[in-house]
Amino acid sequence: MIAPPSGTRIWIAAGITDMRRGFDGLAALVQTQLQTDPFSGQIFVFRGRRGDRIKVLWWDGDGLCLFAKRLEHGKSVWPQVTHGSVALTPAQLSMLLEGIDWRRPVRTAPNRAA
């Protein structure tokens, strides 16, 4: 994925989204359900019913960008809430896109303080 500028807010749209929606449909969801401006430069992430598809909507300053990903194996970990949004860090977004449980990542090697 193209890296957004530092300080960009990232939001998961809670619940399930119809993955047939495109630019305009997802922007309308951001306005009506999240009550946020889709042209604010923030990133909005949506999940389909089966959990294997994700769409990301982002205004980069020149136009809306729509990224889509389909996991070949497994499902995306999604919050249990059904309304509103959940904030993510860029690292959590990367884990989400890779199918990793972004809520509780586990360190695989001991932290070695220098």
Side-chain angles (χ1 to χ4, degrees), residues 31-42:
Q31 288 177 323
T32 59
Q33 291 184 356
L34 304 179
Q35 298 185 355
T36 304
D37 180 12
F39 306 104
S40 63
Q42 300 177 67

Side-chain angles (χ1 to χ4, degrees), residues 2-110:
I2 299 168
S6 64
T8 301
R9 304 285 314 255
I10 303 167
W11 300 100
I12 284 182
I16 297 168
T17 302
D18 182 355
M19 288 289 103
R20 295 175 292 182
R21 290 181 182 258
F23 292 96
D24 297 329
L26 293 174
L29 281 178
V30 170
Q31 288 177 323
T32 59
Q33 291 184 356
L34 304 179
Q35 298 185 355
T36 304
D37 180 12
F39 306 104
S40 63
Q42 300 177 67
I43 294 175
F44 304 96
V45 186
F46 304 89
R47 176 184 183 256
R49 180 168 303 283
R50 288 184 283 179
D52 64 340
R53 295 166 196 247
I54 291 177
K55 286 191 176 180
V56 178
L57 186 69
W58 172 45
W59 173 262
D60 70 353
D62 294 324
L64 279 175
C65 301
L66 181 61
F67 301 95
K69 178 150 187 181
R70 181 183 69 202
L71 292 174
E72 292 300 320
H73 303 285
K75 296 182 179 195
S76 300
V77 176
W78 215 248
Q80 295 298 318
V81 295
T82 57
H83 296 87
S85 60
V86 175
L88 291 181
T89 66
Q92 289 171 322
L93 176 60
S94 294
M95 287 185 273
L96 174 69
L97 294 173
E98 294 298 322
I100 299 170
D101 187 348
W102 55 271
R103 300 169 301 174
R104 287 172 277 141
V106 177
R107 184 180 298 277
T108 57

